[in-house]
Amino acid sequence: MEEERDFVVFTDDDGNDFELDVIDYFDYEGKEYAVLIDNNDECECGDEEECDCEANIYIMQIVVNEEEDTEEFVSPAEEDMDALIEIVQARLEDDACCCDEDCDCDDCCECGEECDCGCDKE
């Protein structure tokens, strides 16, 4: 079953709308954050498994207005960015295992190395 994805529409300085895909949520120092990617980035690899195109990744703080029942995505504080980037990099590396399990693989199965998570994929 395919996981339901969250999409957020932003407006740039020129008034153009663009959509980002929320790929992860996490908390840091009592605040909620989202990791977003631009699915409209032009990738020339198509659906190849070994795509080496780099997607633009964004980290946004989620500010909830309970009175109006809304969420606003805002830029995080500059002094938190180094820690947030480190957290996101670690979370994305953890998701790199192709076994789709919550495992502690040190080597991604896709790199040809044996994975020690117990999955059958190499």
Side-chain angles (χ1 to χ4, degrees), residues 6 12 15 19 26 32 37 39 58 60 62 72 88 107 119:
D6 292 331
D12 66 15
E19 186 175 76
F26 67 96
E32 185 178 12
I37 61 170
N39 276 336
Y58 303 90
M60 303 293 284
I62 302 172
E72 183 178 358
V88 169
D107 296 319
C119 71

Side-chain angles (χ1 to χ4, degrees), residues 43-79:
C43 174
E44 298 175 11
C45 298
D47 288 334
E48 293 178 28
E49 279 189 34
E50 298 202 20
C51 175
D52 60 355
C53 295
E54 293 185 19
N56 288 322
I57 297 176
Y58 303 90
I59 303 171
M60 303 293 284
Q61 180 182 342
I62 302 172
V63 178
V64 177
N65 182 333
E66 292 180 11
E67 289 179 13
E68 296 179 16
D69 194 30
T70 59
E71 294 179 338
E72 183 178 358
F73 288 72
V74 298
S75 297
E78 188 64 38
E79 60 268 12

